[in-house]
Amino acid sequence: MSSLRLISNRTSQQALSNSDYTWDYEYYEYGPVSFEGLKAHKYSIVIGFWVGLAVFVIFMFFVLTLLTKTGAPHQDNAELSEKRFRMNSFVADFGRPLESERVFSHQMAEESQSLFHFCINELDHMNKAKESQKGPSLDSNTHFQEVSKSSGVFEEDLHRLTKFNIPNFVNTEQNSSLGEDDLLISEPPIIL
Amino acid sequence: MSTDRPSNLIKHPGQTSIASLENISDFSLNITDCAQVVVPEEVFFTVAAAGILENLLILIAVIRNKNLHLPMYFFICSLAISDMLGSLYKTLENIFIILCKMGYLTRHGDFEKKLDDAMDSMFILSLLGSIFSLLAIAADRYITIFYALRYHNIMTLRRALVILAIIWAFCAGSSIAIALFSYEAATVIPFTILFPLMMCFILCLYVHMFLLARSHAKKIASLPSSTVHHRTNMKGAITLTIFLGVFLCCWAPFVLHILLARFCPHNPYCACYMSIFHVNGTLIMCNAIINPMIFAFRSPELRSTFKKMFYCSRSSCNW
């Protein structure tokens, strides 16, 4: 039996030697595989694998679509409070001047600009959404404006909150049809 | 191969005498019952060349345009490099096999085995590089969204380069180790566990970002003057599904092949799955073509760089 296997091994390599891509079989050294008495179809793993993969991808798509439609309502409150905290920490972080970084080219400055506008716009939205908390938000809003004015670069752009289009970072066009699409592509814009 | 088959089929399959070679080739008929699915060489070379060219274009564009010297584009470049390596591997393997067929190289020589090992390690390097680059891109976007205000302090150019160096050093080391010890289960199992783990992690990052984007869209939709279309939510789900679906469909078949080759090479079902090995390889090269479209070409800055490059080369601009 073992000699039969040896001979059949060598012959199998010769039989396959005229075909393409037999290089792969050198290392696997498959013995003879008997295809008799198969209960299921011989390509059942292939079919099962691809069907399973397709089902999984479609399932993922439906889960994401459901997240789109419903989602967790409590998350909105959590996001708002988180953002407020980040605004405050942002002010603290932004104490040091931007120009200390050598990598800040003009575009980088524009991107920081866009972050400012994001903050300011966010604050505007929060103000509109929650009238009762107008006080502290306005304070930080004015603080922002002070910080931004002290940098000296962003003065004229404070008036044009929705106009600019920073290709690499933030897309603030409200009418843009890209929406969350951009979020997941090369530049994740923060939709305002 | 095609001339041998018809003569084998005519023979009686029941003969068990081992005297003649022809009866033993009946045995080999059982092996080739699930015949290797052969991808034509033209298709192979076309797909590989397209992948290499596309990724090379991206590298050139990022290098030439100073505006694109950002961490985000460096990670996209890293993905382009790993895709290029994968396509290069397949091209070299094809050339190698053609040389073997034409008789310039033997199959059993030491040099050929070493060359094969080197090429295997290049392929595993490409796979690991792909996975880690995708992870880096997802993490970069995550930081951009959730730590937007401190992004420039967290992800400086220098840190991005250090992260890339660490990733590639790790991938190179693991690929050499895996190629050297590829016959043991201890290497195959971590390798195949790494793949779904990374996938799940990337999926979680993107879903979290997606949820934030959705809550933003809700906030905007609640404003009276909003004109955001509701269909943009669906677009996000489609984009995310395309990202992860493409990665899964292109790499999972190959990973399953490695698992089956290690654990059940003699099972007829596994053998039939392994007969489509070259289709799986072609899928990986298709991934190298699709990845730039999903990641790199969506950036307007990169697209404008390409336009400049092409229009400049066409209408001899001032060099």
Side-chain angles (χ1 to χ4, degrees):
Chain A
M1 195 59 196
S2 57
S3 62
L4 176 67
R5 194 172 290 145
L6 266 175
I7 295 168
S8 63
N9 266 349
R10 262 187 275 128
T11 313
S12 71
Q13 283 174 7
Q14 277 172 13
L16 296 167
S17 66
N18 295 331
S19 65
D20 297 338
Y21 317 127
T22 57
W23 186 250
D24 295 322
Y25 287 113
E26 290 289 336
Y27 291 95
Y28 296 142
E29 291 290 330
Y30 294 139
V33 180
S34 128
F35 280 92
E36 278 131 28
L38 289 185
K39 291 190 281 283
H41 190 260
K42 58 184 180 179
Y43 281 111
S44 55
I45 292 189
V46 180
I47 297 170
F49 171 74
W50 282 104
V51 166
L53 202 59
V55 163
F56 176 73
V57 171
I58 292 174
F59 168 72
M60 200 168 62
F61 175 67
F62 278 129
V63 164
L64 288 172
T65 320
L66 273 176
L67 279 176
T68 305
K69 300 245 182 337
T70 59
H74 70 272
Q75 200 168 33
D76 292 335
N77 296 334
E79 295 288 354
L80 277 177
S81 55
E82 203 183 297
K83 292 248 174 35
R84 208 168 292 126
F85 174 76
R86 268 190 274 143
M87 298 306 163
N88 298 334
S89 65
F90 168 71
V91 171
D93 270 349
F94 226 87
R96 55 192 142 113
L98 286 173
E99 290 77 83
S100 64
E101 310 286 70
R102 69 200 183 306
V103 297
F104 269 98
S105 60
H106 177 62
Q107 198 200 21
M108 291 281 208
E110 276 188 23
E111 288 173 357
S112 315
Q113 213 173 15
S114 66
L115 291 173
F116 269 128
H117 293 302
F118 163 68
C119 305
I120 293 166
N121 225 351
E122 275 291 294
L123 285 169
D124 280 344
H125 287 160
M126 283 197 292
N127 290 341
K128 285 173 197 161
K130 299 199 171 182
E131 300 288 317
S132 58
Q133 291 166 11
K134 211 172 187 173
S137 308
L138 269 181
D139 282 345
S140 33
N141 198 3
T142 50
H143 194 191
F144 271 33
Q145 291 190 351
E146 281 168 9
V147 171
S148 63
K149 275 177 183 150
S150 68
S151 314
V153 185
F154 319 105
E155 281 185 359
E156 72 274 9
D157 289 317
L158 281 176
H159 305 295
R160 287 184 276 122
L161 291 178
T162 59
K163 280 293 181 184
F164 63 90
N165 184 5
I166 309 298
N168 292 327
F169 210 15
V170 176
N171 184 356
T172 59
E173 293 178 4
Q174 288 198 359
N175 299 338
S176 160
S177 62
L178 299 169
E180 288 141 25
D181 199 17
D182 267 359
L183 192 68
L184 305 166
I185 308 169
S186 42
E187 321 86 40
I190 302 177
I191 304 162
L192 299 179
Chain B
M1 175 171 79
S2 55
T3 54
D4 283 338
R5 289 277 180 72
S7 56
N8 281 343
L9 285 172
I10 297 169
K11 303 243 183 290
H12 196 289
Q15 290 175 357
T16 52
S17 134
I18 58 173
S20 61
L21 274 176
E22 291 158 344
N23 289 341
I24 291 168
S25 58
D26 281 342
F27 226 26
S28 72
L29 173 67
N30 278 338
I31 295 171
T32 57
D33 203 17
C34 256
Q36 269 277 329
V37 175
V38 174
V39 176
E41 282 174 17
E42 297 82 17
V43 172
F44 231 62
F45 277 123
T46 314
V47 172
I52 292 176
L53 274 176
E54 216 177 346
N55 290 296
L56 205 58
L57 269 179
I58 289 174
L59 281 178
I60 294 176
V62 170
I63 290 173
R64 276 166 72 162
N65 188 353
K66 292 280 183 290
N67 285 341
L68 297 176
H69 288 186
L70 295 173
M72 178 171 61
Y73 290 104
F74 285 173
F75 293 135
I76 290 179
C77 274
S78 156
L79 185 64
I81 289 175
S82 56
D83 285 338
M84 236 169 41
L85 275 179
S87 299
L88 209 59
Y89 158 79
K90 279 292 175 188
T91 315
L92 284 178
E93 192 193 33
N94 239 18
I95 293 176
F96 196 42
I97 287 168
I98 290 174
L99 285 177
C100 275
K101 263 184 2 186
M102 286 163 54
Y104 290 120
L105 292 171
T106 63
R107 286 175 191 284
H108 305 282
D110 250 351
F111 170 70
E112 281 78 10
K113 286 208 165 78
K114 288 208 179 92
L115 202 58
D116 196 57
D117 273 339
M119 292 202 305
D120 282 344
S121 71
M122 178 157 70
F123 181 65
I124 296 171
L125 177 68
S126 147
L127 169 57
L128 288 176
S130 254
I131 294 177
F132 280 107
S133 299
L134 285 173
L135 185 64
I137 290 176
D140 180 62
R141 291 181 187 178
Y142 189 83
I143 295 176
T144 307
I145 291 181
F146 285 97
Y147 300 94
L149 310 175
R150 283 178 291 151
Y151 172 77
H152 284 303
N153 297 331
I154 297 176
M155 186 67 76
T156 59
L157 215 58
R158 197 163 156 273
R159 262 187 216 167
L161 289 173
V162 164
I163 288 172
L164 280 178
I166 292 175
I167 284 177
W168 280 98
F170 175 74
C171 292
S174 328
S175 74
I176 292 175
I178 290 175
L180 285 177
F181 301 111
S182 61
Y183 313 123
E184 298 172 30
T187 48
V188 170
I189 291 177
F191 185 64
T192 43
I193 287 178
L194 181 78
F195 180 76
L197 261 182
M198 289 290 167
M199 261 280 308
C200 288
F201 189 50
I202 293 176
L203 183 64
C204 290
L205 284 179
Y206 276 121
V207 164
H208 198 191
M209 286 192 265
F210 183 71
L211 288 175
L212 175 65
R214 199 191 42 80
S215 70
H216 267 285
K218 265 187 167 180
K219 263 186 261 169
I220 296 167
S222 66
L223 296 176
S225 60
S226 159
T227 57
V228 171
H229 204 273
H230 186 63
R231 296 292 292 169
T232 57
N233 287 337
M234 186 67 84
K235 262 192 177 184
I238 292 176
T239 308
L240 191 51
T241 311
I242 289 176
F243 265 3
L244 295 165
V246 163
F247 184 69
L248 255 187
C249 289
C250 291
W251 286 103
F254 173 75
V255 175
L256 184 62
H257 175 96
I258 289 186
L259 262 181
L260 293 182
R262 181 60 192 80
F263 289 114
C264 65
H266 302 293
N267 190 326
Y269 299 112
C270 298
C272 274
Y273 181 83
M274 291 190 283
S275 68
I276 60 169
F277 178 69
H278 301 290
V279 177
N280 298 340
T282 315
L283 275 175
I284 291 178
M285 290 199 299
C286 289
N287 186 48
I289 297 181
I290 297 176
N291 264 344
M293 293 182 201
I294 298 178
F295 288 96
F297 291 165
R298 298 283 190 119
S299 157
E301 181 78 31
L302 205 62
R303 279 204 300 258
S304 67
T305 313
F306 280 131
K307 281 186 199 139
K308 267 187 244 162
M309 269 168 45
F310 285 129
Y311 288 147
C312 251
S313 64
R314 233 183 269 167
S315 64
S316 59
C317 64
N318 49 352
W319 286 120

